[in-house]
């Protein structure tokens, strides 16, 4: 059976602003059920990975997530002295890698002696395939559900190293989590079966891995996506290419990253709405209490847009 901490104990906000630090208990370590000793200290660069660790670890872990503000761009996050302390005290550290959470390697190097470091980019088949092809992989690995399932299994093993008597608990929690993700993957397969090849546009490549699994064709110019992702404005010609996707034969949906919005993306959104094209909002951090509910809501929103 899953073991849960009360929601406020798992994710209470310590710091507000561009990014926040979350801890399971403001007063310190939380005593796991049954008096089994101190929980495993887990640090995650974002609340997405923190949520997955909380599911797999249950009340045997205390999770600190550095970035959780769904209204800010995670690439602008600057680490704090409190973050450095949290990393030094951690037994398990999870970060995205591939240059996304650039502050984490420095914190890890400064801490030294961390028992377990999980770099999600090193788990992803997408990353290794891109490397073999001499290309850059899409760094938003949490939108590739297979990679997330691999992460859950890895976390179960790493937490089992920290608490050997609870290996079966961690493995059971990871199996339950992955069973829920199997359901989401089935939803994507259904979208592909019913809407495979449907044309869409995205403001930046946040969810492209998921959209590919859904069998959708992204027509947004690569130059436009790259500019928005890097926080710059595309050229007038590239912007015009993007806007033409909402002309006479418009795409079926616009997928908008809510955390990298600008005057340019506002212009694109207005063009989509004027053409009657549904806008699907997706984010880089959680907008729901935990990962599965968050991802499920986004997939449901995509399904509704395509049905419209």
């Amino acid at each position: 059976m899953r073991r849960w901490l009360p929601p406020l104990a798992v994710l209470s906000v310590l710091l507000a602003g561009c990014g926040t630090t979350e801890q399971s208990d403001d007063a310190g370590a939380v005593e796991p059920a049954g008096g089994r000793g101190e929980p495993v200290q887990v640090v995650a660069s974002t609340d997405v990975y923190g949520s997955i660790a909380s599911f797999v670890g249950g009340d045997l872990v205390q999770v600190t997530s550095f970035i959780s503000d769904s209204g800010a761009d995670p690439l602008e996050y600057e680490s704090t002295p409190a973050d450095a302390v949290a990393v030094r005290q951690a037994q398990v550290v999870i970060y995205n890698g591939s240059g996304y959470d650039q502050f984490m390697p420095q914190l890890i190097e400064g801490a030294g002696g961390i028992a377990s470091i999980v770099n999600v980019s090193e788990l992803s088949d997408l990353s290794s395939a891109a490397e073999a092809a001499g290309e850059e992989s899409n760094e938003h690995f949490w939108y590739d559900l297979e990679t997330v399932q691999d992460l859950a299994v890895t976390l179960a093993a790493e937490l089992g190293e920290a608490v050997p008597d609870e290996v079966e608990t961690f493995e059971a929690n990871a199996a339950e989590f992955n069973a829920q993700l199997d359901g989401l993957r089935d939803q994507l397969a259904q979208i592909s079966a019913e809407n495979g090849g449907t044309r869409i546009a995205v403001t930046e490549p946040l969810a492209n891995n998921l959209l590919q699994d859904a069998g959708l064709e992204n027509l947004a110019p690569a130059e436009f996506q790259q500019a928005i992702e890097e926080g710059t404005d595309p050229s007038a010609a590239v912007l015009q290419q993007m806007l033409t996707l909402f002309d006479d034969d418009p795409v079926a949906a616009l997928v908008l990253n809510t955390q990298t919005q600008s005057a340019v993306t506002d212009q694109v959104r207005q063009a989509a709405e004027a053409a009657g094209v549904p806008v699907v909002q997706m984010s880089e951090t959680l907008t729901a209490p935990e990962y599965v509910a968050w991802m499920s809501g986004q997939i449901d929103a995509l399904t509704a847009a395509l049905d419209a």
Side-chain angles (χ1 to χ4, degrees), residues 15 34 41 155 195 206 239 284 300:
L15 301 177
Q41 298 298 311
L155 287 175
N195 300 278
L206 170 66
L239 173 57
E284 301 189 41
D300 287 346

Side-chain angles (χ1 to χ4, degrees), residues 17-20 45-48 66-79 96 99-104 139-140 142 204 206 229 257-261 282-286 294:
C18 175
T20 62
S45 60
T46 76
D47 61 358
V48 171
F66 293 151
I67 303 174
S68 62
D69 187 349
S70 61
D73 185 349
L75 292 179
E76 298 177 356
Y77 182 77
E78 296 184 5
S79 62
N96 188 77
Y100 179 79
D101 34 19
Q102 301 180 53
F103 60 94
M104 287 298 291
E139 64 191 19
H140 307 99
W142 62 96
E204 65 117 326
L206 170 66
E229 184 176 29
N257 181 351
T258 60
Q259 288 172 253
T260 57
Q261 296 186 77
M282 295 190 174
S283 61
E284 301 189 41
T285 54
L286 299 182
W294 171 62

Side-chain angles (χ1 to χ4, degrees), residues 9-131:
V10 177
L11 294 175
S12 60
V13 177
L14 269 185
L15 301 177
C18 175
T20 62
T21 300
E22 298 180 350
Q23 292 188 345
S24 302
D25 191 303
D26 289 19
V30 175
E31 182 74 12
R36 289 168 292 180
E38 297 295 326
V40 180
Q41 298 298 311
V42 179
V43 162
S45 60
T46 76
D47 61 358
V48 171
Y49 294 131
S51 173
I52 298 166
S54 292
F55 197 116
V56 175
D59 64 0
L60 295 168
V61 301
Q62 181 178 31
V63 178
T64 300
S65 298
F66 293 151
I67 303 174
S68 62
D69 187 349
S70 61
D73 185 349
L75 292 179
E76 298 177 356
Y77 182 77
E78 296 184 5
S79 62
T80 69
D83 295 344
V85 171
V87 171
R88 283 198 299 271
Q89 295 175 344
Q91 294 161 272
V92 178
V93 173
I94 315 158
Y95 73 108
N96 188 77
S98 197
Y100 179 79
D101 34 19
Q102 301 180 53
F103 60 94
M104 287 298 291
Q106 183 176 357
L107 290 177
I108 291 169
E109 182 179 356
I114 300 170
S116 173
I117 300 170
V118 180
N119 181 340
V120 179
S121 69
E122 295 177 354
L123 301 177
S124 175
D125 290 339
L126 298 174
S127 183
S128 57
E131 182 178 351

Side-chain angles (χ1 to χ4, degrees), residues 7 20 34 70 78 92 152 157 176 198 207 211 232 241 253 295 302:
T20 62
S70 61
E78 296 184 5
V92 178
E176 180 182 341
T198 296
L211 297 173
T232 61
Q241 290 178 38
M295 193 58 64
L302 178 64

Side-chain angles (χ1 to χ4, degrees), residues 157-188:
E158 298 298 334
L159 293 171
E161 290 288 329
V163 191
D165 291 344
E166 297 290 348
V167 169
E168 292 184 0
T169 298
F170 299 135
E171 290 178 346
N173 290 348
E176 180 182 341
F177 178 82
N178 282 348
Q180 293 186 27
L181 288 199
D182 283 339
L184 297 185
R185 295 180 71 177
D186 288 344
Q187 283 186 260
L188 294 178

Side-chain angles (χ1 to χ4, degrees), residues 146-300:
E146 183 176 358
T147 296
V148 174
Q149 289 181 314
D150 289 342
L151 172 60
V153 172
T154 298
L155 287 175
E158 298 298 334
L159 293 171
E161 290 288 329
V163 191
D165 291 344
E166 297 290 348
V167 169
E168 292 184 0
T169 298
F170 299 135
E171 290 178 346
N173 290 348
E176 180 182 341
F177 178 82
N178 282 348
Q180 293 186 27
L181 288 199
D182 283 339
L184 297 185
R185 295 180 71 177
D186 288 344
Q187 283 186 260
L188 294 178
Q190 184 66 26
I191 293 174
S192 181
E194 296 177 356
N195 300 278
T198 296
R199 302 171 307 125
I200 63 168
V202 306
T203 56
E204 65 117 326
L206 170 66
N208 282 5
N209 292 326
L210 183 144
L211 297 173
Q212 289 170 7
D213 287 344
L216 304 177
E217 183 181 1
N218 174 24
L219 298 188
E223 296 91 340
F224 183 92
Q225 298 177 68
Q226 182 178 3
I228 299 305
E229 184 176 29
E230 294 176 352
T232 61
D233 289 338
S235 69
V238 169
L239 173 57
Q240 186 57 41
Q241 290 178 38
M242 184 70 172
L243 293 175
T244 59
L245 298 178
F246 310 102
D247 284 346
D248 297 335
D249 183 22
V251 294
L254 171 67
V255 178
L256 176 75
N257 181 351
T258 60
Q259 288 172 253
T260 57
Q261 296 186 77
S262 65
V264 171
T265 61
D266 287 346
Q267 184 177 356
V268 170
R269 178 174 188 156
Q270 290 164 9
E273 292 173 342
V277 173
V279 177
V280 181
Q281 299 187 89
M282 295 190 174
S283 61
E284 301 189 41
T285 54
L286 299 182
T287 56
E290 50 87 24
Y291 178 87
V292 175
W294 171 62
M295 193 58 64
S296 177
Q298 295 185 123
I299 294 173
D300 287 346

